[in-house]
Amino acid sequence: MGSKSKKPEVYNYVSKHGKAAIAEAIDDIFVMQMWEDLTDIGTRSVQLSKLVLDWMDANGISMQNNNYDNLRMKFQRIKNAYRKKVGINISRGYKHENP
């Protein structure tokens, strides 16, 4: 709310770096939620395309403007980064070797 001493246009100003930090934080939260929801062990037998479509529907994300392809590829990149970092393949149907 505004007051005589503090106008909301000036008092609530967010710098360019602040906006970038907010956008990065929102993206991190989005990625963490997507990772948590789509890597659930109970859904391992379901195809990734069906999981992504269901996840989009459950989170109110429309199918417009290639959202499906973008989210599917984003999840694939996250999965690949996880595999590189940890060395564990979480792909559907992958059989881990016994030591």
Side-chain angles (χ1 to χ4, degrees):
M1 293 178 49
S3 69
K4 288 183 180 180
S5 63
K6 296 180 180 177
K7 294 183 180 180
E9 302 87 31
V10 177
Y11 186 69
N12 293 326
Y13 173 77
V14 179
S15 69
K16 202 185 291 188
H17 297 294
K19 289 178 185 177
I22 291 170
E24 186 176 337
I26 290 170
D27 187 57
D28 287 346
I29 292 168
F30 181 83
V31 166
M32 285 188 293
Q33 188 64 48
M34 179 188 229
W35 178 257
E36 184 178 319
D37 292 346
L38 294 180
T39 57
D40 182 21
I41 197 74
T43 58
R44 297 286 298 199
S45 62
V46 179
Q47 290 178 343
L48 178 61
S49 58
K50 291 178 182 175
L51 285 174
V52 171
L53 288 171
D54 186 49
W55 188 81
M56 288 174 65
D57 188 44
N59 288 285
I61 301 172
S62 72
M63 288 293 295
Q64 297 176 356
N65 302 327
N66 298 328
N67 285 341
Y68 165 74
D69 290 330
N70 293 337
L71 288 177
R72 186 178 52 79
M73 291 306 295
K74 185 175 191 81
F75 183 70
Q76 189 64 44
R77 287 190 299 271
I78 295 166
K79 217 165 67 164
N80 291 343
Y82 180 78
R83 182 179 6 198
K84 257 186 194 176
K85 180 180 178 183
V86 180
I88 298 174
N89 189 344
I90 61 165
S91 296
R92 185 178 144 231
Y94 181 78
K95 303 286 188 215
H96 293 279
E97 296 177 11
N98 291 332

